[in-house]
Amino acid sequence: MAVKTITLLGSTGSIGVNTLRVIADHPDRFRVVALVAGSNGQQLIEQARRFRPEVVAIHQETQAEQVRSALAGSGCLVLSGTTGVMEAAAWATAQLVVSAIVGAAGLQPTLAAIRAGKHIALANKECLVMAGPLFMAEVTRQGVGVIPVDSEHSAIFQVLCNGRCGAEQGGVLALHGQDVGQLVLTASGGPFRGWSRAALQRVTPAMALSHPSWQMGKKISIDSATLMNKGLEVIEAFYLFGVGGEQIQVVIHPESIVHSMVAYRDGSVLAQLGVPDMRTPIAVALAWPERITTTVPTLNLAQLGELRFFDKPEERDFPCLELAYRALRQGGAATTVLNAANEVAVAAFLAEKIGFLDIPCLVEWCLDQHQRETSGPAGMGSLEDILQTDRATRRQAEAWLLRH
Ligand SMILES: NC(=O)c1ccc[n+]([C@@H]2O[C@H](COP(=O)([O-])OP(=O)(O)OC[C@H]3O[C@@H](n4cnc5c(N)ncnc54)[C@H](OP(=O)(O)O)[C@@H]3O)[C@@H](O)[C@H]2O)c1
């Protein structure tokens, strides 16, 4: 069996650590050649000692010296800063790059990997929300495969790929034919499902960080609590699978066992099920088109007893999901604006500068501003245009924060 060589962007995060757990169980199948982290030098050093990559990169320059001296003499090259991260992302010996940096910071390293001809295991949904058309055009140009890591998109991918789609041949992920009616994304509903607006007003960062089904990084935990995560996933599905926004439905499923479904026009609905543990979609993405063993417990439906499904909640209580649909309809660079405004809002909420319900207010205000300032959906433009929109939105959002 040939060994697959892996670069891991965001190795010190929740997805990164789970990816290394899967890889550690299969030393005969996978070899880590590059690890990339943001600021956690100590954890990166420990990972490098254990997995012996050819190169590591740390974004924060102040951490670089510590990593360099700890790994001196190990044969591992240590890079740092933005250029170091980009160099490691395009590392020549890697076949597959796991994109698991959080937020907009993941876009350029992932594009660098695609441009270097690497297949992508995609966890960083923000790069599609920010730059979907450009990202997918680059994927097509390079002829690389994109295998989703997000559990919902992995579920849809697995259903669609049931003998039909070409990512396993290194082609571009694509939805085939007219026979798909709807993609149904499931959502746990987050920790505040059923809460009144008055109760939501009092939500603190600590409350929002404790998710009922998944252990995740801080940003995605807050996004799950506001349902913006589901909104970002709708946009991710729109670009990954090439369906219309109106074909992507969200249904609340508190048990997080059915990870998503595809409703075909003949009346069949196919779903993928499993215990909620990110090691399953990670294992799928790493090994595709093969399947490997994980230590994730097998689903026992009889023990579980029941699976419940509900309509998505009222827009007035959880406006973020509808804001994401609106950004898709608005077109142009509106999803870039949505992403940047949301990142600023989530950081401000975590720093206790704004309340939970201020997050959608700030995002909506930025989308309104953008709509007023642009004449229509002219497309997102070049990478420089996208980065410019991202920067301008962050400035506007920071100015909003100063006024509130
Ligand atoms: N967690 C999940 O279960 C889950 C599920 C589906 C999708 N996702 C998606 O996967 C991505 C990662 O989520 P997460 O929960 O793993 O986040 P996380 O725990 O916060 O980890 C983020 C990772 O990104 C690194 N990073 C941040 N800024 C960086 C930069 N400028 N350059 C290089 N590395 C940087 C961090 O490094 P340091 O820690 O060293 O600073 C860390 O390794 C997100 O896009 C999220 O939406 C996550």
Side-chain angles (χ1 to χ4, degrees):
M1 176 197 330
V3 172
K4 202 181 272 184
T5 48
I6 312 277
T7 286
L8 178 49
L9 308 179
S11 65
T12 48
S14 162
I15 292 289
V17 167
N18 275 310
T19 302
L20 290 175
R21 285 173 76 193
V22 174
I23 288 174
D25 287 340
H26 296 278
D28 51 332
R29 273 184 179 267
F30 305 116
R31 185 162 63 83
V32 176
V33 294
L35 292 173
V36 172
S39 57
N40 194 336
Q42 191 50 46
Q43 195 176 353
L44 182 62
I45 292 165
E46 285 158 22
Q47 292 177 339
R49 285 185 175 141
R50 174 149 186 218
F51 290 92
R52 302 184 168 278
E54 295 163 16
V55 61
V56 297
I58 183 134
H59 184 254
Q60 203 170 90
E61 293 282 8
T62 52
Q63 293 285 310
E65 213 27 67
Q66 182 201 357
V67 180
R68 267 193 199 101
S69 63
L71 298 181
S74 68
C76 175
L77 178 65
V78 179
L79 303 171
S80 61
T82 304
T83 51
V85 168
M86 297 291 279
E87 198 181 325
W91 197 250
T93 51
Q95 294 167 309
L96 177 75
V97 174
V98 180
S99 168
I101 291 174
V102 64
L107 174 63
Q108 293 194 74
T110 309
L111 282 176
I114 294 169
R115 287 174 182 152
K118 312 299 176 190
H119 297 303
I120 305 293
L122 186 68
N124 176 294
K125 64 196 89 186
E126 292 93 339
C127 47
L128 280 175
V129 177
M130 242 184 122
L134 178 123
F135 185 100
M136 293 312 288
E138 205 61 56
V139 164
T140 306
R141 193 171 305 127
Q142 300 297 337
V144 298
V146 178
I147 318 278
V149 169
D150 228 345
S151 56
E152 296 77 1
H153 305 74
S154 173
I156 291 170
F157 172 82
Q158 291 177 61
V159 169
L160 293 174
C161 280
N162 212 352
R164 309 198 58 197
C165 88
E168 66 273 39
Q169 280 100 41
V172 177
L173 183 64
L175 185 137
H176 286 255
Q178 309 299 316
D179 49 355
V180 170
Q182 304 266 313
L183 303 182
V184 185
L185 300 181
T186 52
S188 71
F192 310 126
R193 186 172 61 84
W195 282 36
S196 70
R197 220 180 142 70
L200 290 171
Q201 213 107 37
R202 294 191 292 276
V203 164
T204 63
M207 290 156 79
L209 285 173
S210 91
H211 193 276
S213 335
W214 300 95
Q215 290 288 320
M216 306 179 289
K218 284 186 180 178
K219 196 247 172 192
I220 187 175
S221 297
I222 304 301
D223 285 346
S224 297
T226 60
L227 290 202
M228 180 59 93
N229 183 49
K230 211 45 58 180
L232 301 179
E233 287 176 7
V234 167
I235 300 169
E236 181 183 9
F238 174 84
Y239 288 122
L240 271 182
F241 303 117
V243 286
E246 71 293 344
Q247 281 179 281
I248 308 168
Q249 296 291 315
V250 171
V251 64
I252 302 294
H253 169 45
E255 291 80 15
S256 301
I257 295 293
V258 175
H259 295 308
S260 277
M261 299 171 255
V262 178
Y264 289 89
R265 293 195 201 277
D266 61 7
S268 298
V269 179
L270 302 191
Q272 184 260 344
L273 285 71
V275 168
D277 188 316
M278 285 309 294
R279 286 175 298 162
T280 297
I282 289 168
V284 170
L286 289 179
W288 194 261
E290 289 166 29
R291 295 230 178 222
I292 52 173
T293 307
T294 70
T295 50
V296 175
T298 307
L299 179 62
N300 184 333
L301 282 172
Q303 205 168 54
L304 206 68
E306 62 173 356
L307 298 177
R308 294 165 301 158
F309 299 91
F310 306 100
D311 268 342
K312 60 183 187 224
E314 292 293 330
E315 188 189 333
R316 62 161 201 276
D317 298 329
F318 291 91
C320 285
L321 178 56
E322 187 44 43
L323 287 172
Y325 277 108
R326 170 192 158 176
L328 259 188
R329 286 192 302 272
Q330 205 168 310
T335 62
T336 314
V337 171
L338 177 95
N339 184 65
N342 182 56
E343 287 192 18
V344 174
V346 169
F349 171 68
L350 283 169
E352 300 190 23
K353 290 184 190 161
I354 59 172
F356 187 70
L357 292 177
D358 293 327
I359 296 174
C361 291
L362 173 50
V363 174
E364 184 170 24
W365 182 81
C366 288
L367 282 174
D368 289 346
Q369 285 289 111
H370 177 70
Q371 198 161 28
R372 269 194 290 276
E373 288 164 9
T374 50
S375 46
M380 278 180 185
S382 65
L383 178 60
E384 193 35 58
D385 296 332
I386 290 166
L387 297 176
Q388 163 63 25
T389 303
D390 178 76
R391 283 192 295 267
T393 306
R394 285 170 198 268
R395 276 197 302 274
Q396 287 182 336
E398 295 292 349
W400 186 95
L401 288 174
L402 286 177
R403 290 197 301 276
H404 287 76

